[in-house]
Amino acid sequence: MRLIIIGASSLGMHLTRAMIRQGNEVILIEKDEEVARELAEELDCTVINAEGTHPDILDKAGMDSTDAIVACTNHDQDNILIGLIAQEAGVERVIVKTDDTKFMEIAKKLGISSPINPPHISSTIISDALRGIDTIELSNLIRADVRVIGFKTEEKHAGKRISDVQFPENTECIGFYRNNEFFLARENPKLEEGDELLIITRSGYIDRVYEKLREI
């Protein structure tokens, strides 16, 4: 995978190191000159010292040939702007970090495919712990070559049911999110545009799963 990460925030650095360890090609964009210089010496990836909200900088980083862009600066507005630029350029996977839940909702309304809100995720886990609930992190639950993938339905999927999809072997749809409500696949309700399917499969079947979903 080839991805561009904008912002050497704590999340950005953890993600960059993890992606490098997994053998991905990473381009890191950081506007602080000193930080960028230190990271260029430390990390086995391309580091660009520039402002990531500028379209020409993203073009220079190879936005047109990247698989994903992750905007994780410490400024929600910048992250959303970067997400919109990447989305307009046709980047397949656009992920933006927002610390303010208000910006999370704005990102969703603007159609950004994957907005994330770390404070909300963390507070949910802590809240569960305080109630005595042992929340299992997905990263600890999923092992070997098993993967959980997401797919957002389009207009052509509206009115279809999950049972209409002939998934490859070793693949199951767990259910889907519609706004803030989750539906189990066994309920088999009709899909609507914008539903977010959660699918469990093996890594070797991922491309085939997406092909099947685009066929219906």
Side-chain angles (χ1 to χ4, degrees), residues 160-165 176 183-191:
K160 303 288 181 64
R161 297 183 186 273
I162 293 175
S163 59
D164 294 330
V165 185
F176 63 87
F183 296 84
L184 288 170
R186 68 185 181 189
E187 297 172 2
N188 203 29
K190 289 184 178 180
L191 297 172

mmCIF file of all heavy atoms in Angstrom, residues 160-165 176 183-191:
data_model
loop_
_atom_site.group_PDB
_atom_site.id
_atom_site.type_symbol
_atom_site.label_atom_id
_atom_site.label_comp_id
_atom_site.label_asym_id
_atom_site.label_seq_id
_atom_site.Cartn_x
_atom_site.Cartn_y
_atom_site.Cartn_z
ATOM 1 N N LYS A 160 -31.716 -3.343 -2.000
ATOM 2 C CA LYS A 160 -31.190 -4.713 -1.997
ATOM 3 C C LYS A 160 -31.037 -5.182 -0.547
ATOM 4 O O LYS A 160 -31.076 -4.398 0.395
ATOM 5 C CB LYS A 160 -29.822 -4.754 -2.697
ATOM 6 C CG LYS A 160 -29.824 -4.233 -4.127
ATOM 7 C CD LYS A 160 -30.510 -5.194 -5.062
ATOM 8 C CE LYS A 160 -30.494 -4.689 -6.499
ATOM 9 N NZ LYS A 160 -29.136 -4.578 -7.053
ATOM 10 N N ARG A 161 -30.848 -6.470 -0.383
ATOM 11 C CA ARG A 161 -30.605 -7.042 0.940
ATOM 12 C C ARG A 161 -29.225 -7.685 0.972
ATOM 13 O O ARG A 161 -28.677 -8.049 -0.073
ATOM 14 C CB ARG A 161 -31.687 -8.071 1.294
ATOM 15 C CG ARG A 161 -33.093 -7.472 1.380
ATOM 16 C CD ARG A 161 -34.109 -8.514 1.799
ATOM 17 N NE ARG A 161 -35.466 -7.989 1.755
ATOM 18 C CZ ARG A 161 -36.044 -7.338 2.760
ATOM 19 N NH1 ARG A 161 -35.377 -7.151 3.891
ATOM 20 N NH2 ARG A 161 -37.280 -6.881 2.649
ATOM 21 N N ILE A 162 -28.689 -7.836 2.168
ATOM 22 C CA ILE A 162 -27.373 -8.456 2.305
ATOM 23 C C ILE A 162 -27.378 -9.854 1.708
ATOM 24 O O ILE A 162 -26.395 -10.309 1.121
ATOM 25 C CB ILE A 162 -26.940 -8.481 3.782
ATOM 26 C CG1 ILE A 162 -26.700 -7.052 4.284
ATOM 27 C CG2 ILE A 162 -25.685 -9.325 3.968
ATOM 28 C CD1 ILE A 162 -26.392 -6.956 5.756
ATOM 29 N N SER A 163 -28.507 -10.548 1.822
ATOM 30 C CA SER A 163 -28.603 -11.903 1.276
ATOM 31 C C SER A 163 -28.491 -11.927 -0.236
ATOM 32 O O SER A 163 -28.282 -12.998 -0.834
ATOM 33 C CB SER A 163 -29.922 -12.559 1.715
ATOM 34 O OG SER A 163 -31.023 -11.792 1.259
ATOM 35 N N ASP A 164 -28.641 -10.776 -0.893
ATOM 36 C CA ASP A 164 -28.508 -10.713 -2.353
ATOM 37 C C ASP A 164 -27.056 -10.790 -2.809
ATOM 38 O O ASP A 164 -26.783 -10.991 -3.993
ATOM 39 C CB ASP A 164 -29.122 -9.407 -2.893
ATOM 40 C CG ASP A 164 -30.630 -9.358 -2.698
ATOM 41 O OD1 ASP A 164 -31.251 -10.435 -2.702
ATOM 42 O OD2 ASP A 164 -31.169 -8.249 -2.535
ATOM 43 N N VAL A 165 -26.125 -10.598 -1.868
ATOM 44 C CA VAL A 165 -24.701 -10.601 -2.212
ATOM 45 C C VAL A 165 -24.140 -12.008 -2.049
ATOM 46 O O VAL A 165 -24.253 -12.616 -0.983
ATOM 47 C CB VAL A 165 -23.902 -9.635 -1.313
ATOM 48 C CG1 VAL A 165 -22.446 -9.565 -1.784
ATOM 49 C CG2 VAL A 165 -24.533 -8.258 -1.312
ATOM 50 N N PHE A 176 -24.367 -3.814 9.554
ATOM 51 C CA PHE A 176 -24.040 -2.495 9.020
ATOM 52 C C PHE A 176 -24.536 -1.381 9.937
ATOM 53 O O PHE A 176 -25.458 -1.556 10.739
ATOM 54 C CB PHE A 176 -24.612 -2.307 7.612
ATOM 55 C CG PHE A 176 -26.119 -2.342 7.518
ATOM 56 C CD1 PHE A 176 -26.872 -1.194 7.700
ATOM 57 C CD2 PHE A 176 -26.787 -3.523 7.237
ATOM 58 C CE1 PHE A 176 -28.252 -1.220 7.610
ATOM 59 C CE2 PHE A 176 -28.167 -3.565 7.137
ATOM 60 C CZ PHE A 176 -28.900 -2.404 7.328
ATOM 61 N N PHE A 183 -27.299 -2.631 12.583
ATOM 62 C CA PHE A 183 -28.210 -3.718 12.217
ATOM 63 C C PHE A 183 -27.397 -4.987 11.988
ATOM 64 O O PHE A 183 -26.397 -4.962 11.263
ATOM 65 C CB PHE A 183 -28.971 -3.378 10.930
ATOM 66 C CG PHE A 183 -29.873 -2.191 11.046
ATOM 67 C CD1 PHE A 183 -29.365 -0.907 10.873
ATOM 68 C CD2 PHE A 183 -31.222 -2.346 11.319
ATOM 69 C CE1 PHE A 183 -30.192 0.202 10.971
ATOM 70 C CE2 PHE A 183 -32.056 -1.237 11.421
ATOM 71 C CZ PHE A 183 -31.538 0.043 11.248
ATOM 72 N N LEU A 184 -27.803 -6.093 12.590
ATOM 73 C CA LEU A 184 -27.148 -7.368 12.359
ATOM 74 C C LEU A 184 -27.533 -7.910 10.986
ATOM 75 O O LEU A 184 -28.668 -7.739 10.534
ATOM 76 C CB LEU A 184 -27.544 -8.378 13.434
ATOM 77 C CG LEU A 184 -26.961 -8.150 14.833
ATOM 78 C CD1 LEU A 184 -27.631 -9.077 15.836
ATOM 79 C CD2 LEU A 184 -25.450 -8.377 14.825
ATOM 80 N N ALA A 185 -26.603 -8.581 10.353
ATOM 81 C CA ALA A 185 -26.847 -9.117 9.008
ATOM 82 C C ALA A 185 -27.995 -10.129 9.019
ATOM 83 O O ALA A 185 -28.754 -10.223 8.052
ATOM 84 C CB ALA A 185 -25.576 -9.755 8.470
ATOM 85 N N ARG A 186 -28.144 -10.884 10.101
ATOM 86 C CA ARG A 186 -29.182 -11.916 10.137
ATOM 87 C C ARG A 186 -30.584 -11.323 10.089
ATOM 88 O O ARG A 186 -31.552 -12.018 9.754
ATOM 89 C CB ARG A 186 -29.010 -12.786 11.386
ATOM 90 C CG ARG A 186 -29.284 -12.076 12.699
ATOM 91 C CD ARG A 186 -28.979 -12.977 13.880
ATOM 92 N NE ARG A 186 -29.266 -12.317 15.141
ATOM 93 C CZ ARG A 186 -28.921 -12.814 16.321
ATOM 94 N NH1 ARG A 186 -28.291 -13.970 16.390
ATOM 95 N NH2 ARG A 186 -29.211 -12.153 17.442
ATOM 96 N N GLU A 187 -30.711 -10.032 10.427
ATOM 97 C CA GLU A 187 -32.017 -9.374 10.324
ATOM 98 C C GLU A 187 -32.369 -9.118 8.869
ATOM 99 O O GLU A 187 -33.548 -8.926 8.540
ATOM 100 C CB GLU A 187 -31.993 -8.059 11.112
ATOM 101 C CG GLU A 187 -31.758 -8.260 12.606
ATOM 102 C CD GLU A 187 -31.548 -6.942 13.336
ATOM 103 O OE1 GLU A 187 -31.614 -5.883 12.690
ATOM 104 O OE2 GLU A 187 -31.300 -6.983 14.554
ATOM 105 N N ASN A 188 -31.374 -9.066 8.009
ATOM 106 C CA ASN A 188 -31.523 -8.953 6.556
ATOM 107 C C ASN A 188 -32.468 -7.831 6.114
ATOM 108 O O ASN A 188 -33.335 -8.022 5.255
ATOM 109 C CB ASN A 188 -32.018 -10.282 5.972
ATOM 110 C CG ASN A 188 -31.653 -10.418 4.501
ATOM 111 O OD1 ASN A 188 -30.651 -9.868 4.037
ATOM 112 N ND2 ASN A 188 -32.475 -11.141 3.752
ATOM 113 N N PRO A 189 -32.310 -6.622 6.667
ATOM 114 C CA PRO A 189 -33.170 -5.511 6.233
ATOM 115 C C PRO A 189 -32.730 -4.995 4.863
ATOM 116 O O PRO A 189 -31.645 -5.319 4.370
ATOM 117 C CB PRO A 189 -32.922 -4.452 7.308
ATOM 118 C CG PRO A 189 -31.523 -4.716 7.746
ATOM 119 C CD PRO A 189 -31.337 -6.208 7.677
ATOM 120 N N LYS A 190 -33.562 -4.200 4.247
ATOM 121 C CA LYS A 190 -33.203 -3.591 2.970
ATOM 122 C C LYS A 190 -32.125 -2.525 3.197
ATOM 123 O O LYS A 190 -32.175 -1.780 4.172
ATOM 124 C CB LYS A 190 -34.426 -2.963 2.303
ATOM 125 C CG LYS A 190 -35.421 -3.974 1.765
ATOM 126 C CD LYS A 190 -36.561 -3.291 1.021
ATOM 127 C CE LYS A 190 -37.526 -4.329 0.439
ATOM 128 N NZ LYS A 190 -38.634 -3.665 -0.289
ATOM 129 N N LEU A 191 -31.183 -2.478 2.289
ATOM 130 C CA LEU A 191 -30.100 -1.511 2.394
ATOM 131 C C LEU A 191 -30.536 -0.148 1.892
ATOM 132 O O LEU A 191 -31.462 -0.036 1.077
ATOM 133 C CB LEU A 191 -28.890 -1.986 1.581
ATOM 134 C CG LEU A 191 -28.233 -3.293 2.036
ATOM 135 C CD1 LEU A 191 -27.178 -3.718 1.021
ATOM 136 C CD2 LEU A 191 -27.620 -3.139 3.417
#
